[in-house]
Amino acid sequence: MLSSAAEAETEAAPLNYFLHSYGPASTPTMYLGWVFAAIAVAVFLIIALLLAGALFRKRAVDEPASIGRDNQGMRWIYIGTGVSTCILFALAVYVLITLNTISRPARTPALTVTVTGYDWWWKVEYEDNDPARRFVTANEIHIPIGLPVLVKLKSADVIHAFWVPMLAGKTQMIPGQANEQWLEAEVEGIYRGQCTQYCGLQHAHMGFEVVAQSPADFRAWQDEQRRAVIPASAADAVAGQHFFIERCAGCHSVRGIGAAGAHAPDLTHLNSRRLIAAGLLTNTPEHQVEWIMHVQKLKPGDRMPGFELSSSEIAALSAFLSTLN
Ligand code: HEC
Ligand SMILES: [Cu+2]
């Protein structure tokens, strides 16, 4: 369903792909980048050729070495300055036109998502006029293809920056301020995103994914996310749920069981996500346990403390976490 060329590329070389665009918010800047790169290379080649010409040119013994008003040398300076000025002016106009084109989508956004940066993960809130239809998730932003999505960007602590290179440019997330940008994917796939403003120890491990789906798949995903969990019924899962409420719910929320912590990723549909820990690990039951016990080894300095758990606690907690679909 989600596999596509974009996904394969994402897995191969996630962030090189600002050189490729998969949506209208990034295509104009991609062309701009290519034009600037082409001009920079052309300038380099022309200067290198002129320099080589000057070095190897045969000169009469009595020819003056300096440029003076009495010879032809000044002409080159006038030509060079004139040409550079025209090119730089044209590029400035091109940059302004590009910035204007990508500043807002051609159509009204189909939905609004508020993304809040935390040290070192992302809270993702799907807005809706009907409060009962709002929901929260983390580190994975689903969007329908072919439709512009408005992304409101906030920060809960320091300055972060939101960047999905294949879909749009970078926008800073500043405490006390709501910035905006928009995303639109033309092709179904998984697009890697990354915090791109140094925000502390685990900045490099503050990634996320944008999952672009067909509108029908997207609606199905939304309906699933809105659902609260069904409280555990198997004995070990019940024990795990108690443990979770006691030890984890101060930070984490799980809708439907009265866990309402607001300082950590919402875990209601933990198992629906591909990755955990802001892109660090694939989301498997083994990695979940590894994360809970060795957070501080995996992400030293992380806001989640590591837990020393007995094997029965691990078994109970795993049974509970496996119900979070
Ligand atoms: C002091 C607050 C705090 C407590 C207590 C806490 N966590 Fe966390 N947890 C966090 C934070 C913050 C993150 C995000 C860390 C990151 O990605 O760098 C997190 C991430 C996670 C994740 C990964 C979620 C994802 O989608 O990336 C899991 C799973 C998790 N915690 C489980 C637990 C369990 C189980 C407990 C109880 C044994 C627990 N946590 C206790 C703060 C806490
Ligand atoms: Cu950062």
Side-chain angles (χ1 to χ4, degrees), residues 3 12 26 34 52 59 66 113 127-128 131 146 167 174-175 179 186 209 234 251 255 264 280 287 299 319 324:
S3 78
S26 58
W34 281 114
R59 198 166 56 191
S66 64
V113 182
E127 309 289 350
D128 202 296
L167 297 181
I174 298 169
N179 284 348
E186 277 156 356
E209 286 187 328
C251 295
R255 275 170 285 141
L280 184 64
H287 282 163
K299 272 176 116 167
L324 304 176

Side-chain angles (χ1 to χ4, degrees), residues 120 139 248 251-252 264-265 273 276-277 291-292 299 302 304 307:
W120 290 279
N139 302 328
C248 323
C251 295
H252 289 282
R273 303 202 277 266
I276 55 167
W291 168 255
I292 294 159
K299 272 176 116 167
D302 200 82
M304 172 160 157
F307 289 84

Side-chain angles (χ1 to χ4, degrees), residues 27-48:
T27 304
T29 17
M30 178 192 64
Y31 289 134
L32 184 78
W34 281 114
V35 168
F36 267 73
I39 289 174
V41 170
V43 167
F44 172 78
L45 289 177
I46 291 167
I47 303 281

Side-chain angles (χ1 to χ4, degrees), residues 151-316:
V151 187
K152 290 198 177 150
L153 298 166
K154 297 182 180 171
S155 169
D157 36 46
V158 297
I159 301 178
H160 301 278
F162 180 88
W163 190 35
V164 193
M166 288 182 275
L167 297 181
K170 306 172 179 182
T171 305
Q172 283 197 319
M173 311 167 95
I174 298 169
Q177 184 177 325
N179 284 348
E180 282 183 4
Q181 80 165 58
W182 63 285
L183 296 175
E184 179 176 337
E186 277 156 356
V187 190
E188 276 182 48
I190 296 166
Y191 302 93
R192 178 82 183 193
Q194 171 66 34
C195 177
T196 174
Q197 172 78 54
Y198 181 71
C199 56
L201 271 183
Q202 293 302 328
H203 165 64
H205 291 144
M206 186 170 165
F208 62 100
E209 286 187 328
V210 172
V211 178
Q213 300 171 290
S214 71
D217 286 347
F218 173 71
R219 270 194 303 277
W221 174 82
Q222 264 192 323
D223 291 342
E224 270 299 296
Q225 295 291 317
R226 286 192 183 112
R227 192 174 53 75
V229 297
I230 302 147
S233 54
D236 50 355
V238 172
Q241 182 173 318
H242 287 309
F243 183 85
F244 186 89
I245 299 277
E246 226 166 76
R247 306 287 297 276
C248 323
C251 295
H252 289 282
S253 51
V254 172
R255 275 170 285 141
I257 62 161
H263 308 290
D266 182 297
L267 300 181
T268 310
H269 297 286
L270 171 66
N271 297 317
S272 74
R273 303 202 277 266
R274 286 171 24 98
L275 305 172
I276 55 167
L280 184 64
L281 300 170
T282 51
N283 190 5
T284 61
E286 298 74 38
H287 282 163
Q288 290 175 4
V289 171
E290 201 182 322
W291 168 255
I292 294 159
M293 297 185 67
H294 305 294
V295 182
Q296 296 298 329
K297 254 197 216 116
L298 293 162
K299 272 176 116 167
D302 200 82
R303 302 290 183 251
M304 172 160 157
F307 289 84
E308 294 220 3
L309 304 175
S310 68
S311 51
S312 63
E313 284 168 336
I314 294 172

